[in-house]
Amino acid sequence: MHNRKGAHWRGQRLAAVLFDLDGTLLDTAADIALALNRTMVEYGCQPLTLDEVRRMIGRGSPILIERAAASQGRIIGASTRTEMVERFFHYYGRLEESNEDSAQPYAGAAESLRTLHEAGLGTAVVTNKQHRFAGALLERLGLAAWVDVVVGGDTCERRKPDPQPLFFACDSLQVPPSDSLMVGDSVNDVQAARAAGIPVVCVSYGYNEGRDPRTLECDLLLDSLTELPTLLQVS
């Protein structure tokens, strides 16, 4: 077990930090756009711009596919959506082996994860990305050693903005939600954290489904994850 004595949030002892992945720890939009556009073209749609895709990221792949199709005036049925999601997974999963992947950690992400982990906090990634893709990204980018638990969009019955994945992460870390902090970039993270009774800090540079991050009803907005260890008084 971790020695959880090295951090505080607004005067209260903190035992764990839960991180969103896409738009918070990692910039993955270009890879998502590449796989999405290959799927869209396969189904007779036009490719989308990177900015358009950034505004659609946030609630998992099925919603991403729905939004992409709707942006071109197409309403897709459940079976077609399932097919398109599988094709998206196929293209996304092949990016690394074809050396087309470009995802990278944001400034301060690796350093903050390492600092928090070495200070004895439990660390988790709670994402709507499929678990296999999230875990592979963390491994490839050298972050996995500082993450205790990975909760993907397919780990639980429900995904963010439902609080279930956050509760699952806390339970896996053996930490009460009240001793945890959520770090994210979108309204999904804020809503999930509020429903779980967990304070939430957001970054200003993420995706947030195209909305201004300053509109997020979070407890604090950070411009960089480099600020996080100091904010939490990590010792």
Side-chain angles (χ1 to χ4, degrees), residues 37-216:
N37 281 332
R38 287 175 177 168
T39 304
M40 295 292 285
V41 169
E42 187 176 310
Y43 280 80
C45 299
Q46 296 298 312
L48 292 92
T49 68
L50 180 57
D51 282 344
E52 287 174 324
V53 176
R54 281 182 184 274
R55 292 194 291 270
M56 296 176 185
I57 296 171
R59 291 181 184 256
S61 304
I63 300 298
L64 175 66
I65 295 292
E66 281 186 6
R67 288 172 171 171
S71 73
Q72 300 187 19
R74 289 186 57 174
I75 305 300
I76 56 175
S79 61
T80 301
R81 184 183 73 169
T82 298
E83 291 175 9
M84 292 179 75
V85 168
E86 287 305 313
R87 294 306 290 164
F88 170 77
F89 288 160
H90 167 75
Y91 288 123
Y92 191 78
R94 291 184 61 184
L95 292 179
E96 182 181 358
E97 63 188 65
S98 60
N99 291 316
E100 295 177 283
D101 55 305
S102 60
Q104 289 296 325
Y106 286 107
E111 295 83 356
S112 291
L113 270 176
R114 183 179 67 244
T115 300
L116 298 178
H117 191 267
E118 290 179 351
L121 278 84
T123 53
V125 164
V126 184
T127 174
N128 283 344
K129 184 188 291 296
Q130 282 225 323
H131 184 277
R132 57 178 163 146
F133 295 134
L137 272 169
L138 292 168
E139 287 283 355
R140 178 165 60 79
L141 297 175
L143 305 181
W146 307 314
V147 177
D148 297 313
V149 173
V150 178
V151 182
D154 54 340
T155 300
C156 300
E157 180 183 349
R158 298 180 295 278
R159 64 183 68 188
K160 297 180 299 182
D162 193 279
Q164 186 183 35
L166 279 65
F167 287 136
F168 183 92
C170 290
D171 186 58
S172 298
L173 291 168
Q174 299 181 5
V175 167
S178 58
D179 290 351
S180 305
L181 175 73
M182 179 71 200
V183 180
D185 74 316
S186 75
V187 64
N188 297 313
D189 300 311
V190 174
Q191 290 176 351
R194 292 290 181 237
I198 296 174
V200 56
V201 169
C202 288
V203 295
S204 62
Y205 53 75
Y207 305 145
N208 194 31
E209 303 180 20
R211 293 175 240 184
D212 188 334
R214 290 171 295 185
T215 64
L216 290 168

